[in-house]
């Protein structure tokens, strides 16, 4: 399994959720954002990136890549991306 994972409902990481994430991550830590490929999700990803990246490292992964559709994720593929 994965430790310290947060899932959101919808396409928005709120300011309150961002603050909670930043409390859990040190400045040397990292946050990985995984959003679907649709326009609303990508806008939500960009907004979260802009809010979180000044405080720590943030990587974004678009779930349109083969094998990453959110309905049937491959744990092996996610582990490769998280390295």
């Amino acid at each position: 399994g994965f430790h310290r994972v947060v899932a959101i409902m919808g396409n928005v990481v709120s300011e309150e959720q961002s603050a909670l994430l930043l409390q859990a991550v040190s400045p040397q830590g990292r946050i990985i954002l995984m959003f679907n490929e649709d326009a609303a999700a990508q806008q939500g990803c960009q907004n979260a990136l802009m809010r979180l990246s000044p405080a720590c490292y943030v990587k974004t992964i678009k779930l349109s890549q083969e094998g990453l559709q959110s309905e049937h994720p491959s744990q092996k593929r996610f582990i490769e991306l998280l390295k």
Side-chain angles (χ1 to χ4, degrees):
F2 297 100
H3 299 279
R4 298 177 67 150
V5 174
V6 176
I8 63 167
M9 299 295 290
N11 299 317
V12 177
V13 177
S14 71
E15 289 186 32
E16 182 179 0
Q17 290 168 322
S18 296
L20 291 170
L21 286 168
L22 292 174
Q23 286 176 3
V25 176
S26 70
Q28 295 78 29
R30 65 183 186 153
I31 294 174
I32 301 171
L33 300 172
M34 300 173 131
F35 281 83
N36 290 327
E37 65 180 321
D38 63 81
Q42 287 305 300
Q43 183 62 51
C45 183
Q46 288 303 310
N47 291 342
L49 177 64
M50 297 301 292
R51 192 177 294 126
L52 297 168
S53 63
C56 66
Y57 173 80
V58 180
K59 178 179 179 175
T60 62
I61 299 172
K62 187 186 291 187
L63 293 176
S64 64
Q65 298 175 30
E66 188 171 331
L68 290 180
Q69 287 75 25
S70 59
E71 294 85 14
H72 304 288
S74 162
Q75 184 176 7
K76 181 179 177 182
R77 181 73 174 119
F78 279 136
I79 290 170
E80 291 171 3
L81 290 168
L82 297 175
K83 291 181 181 179

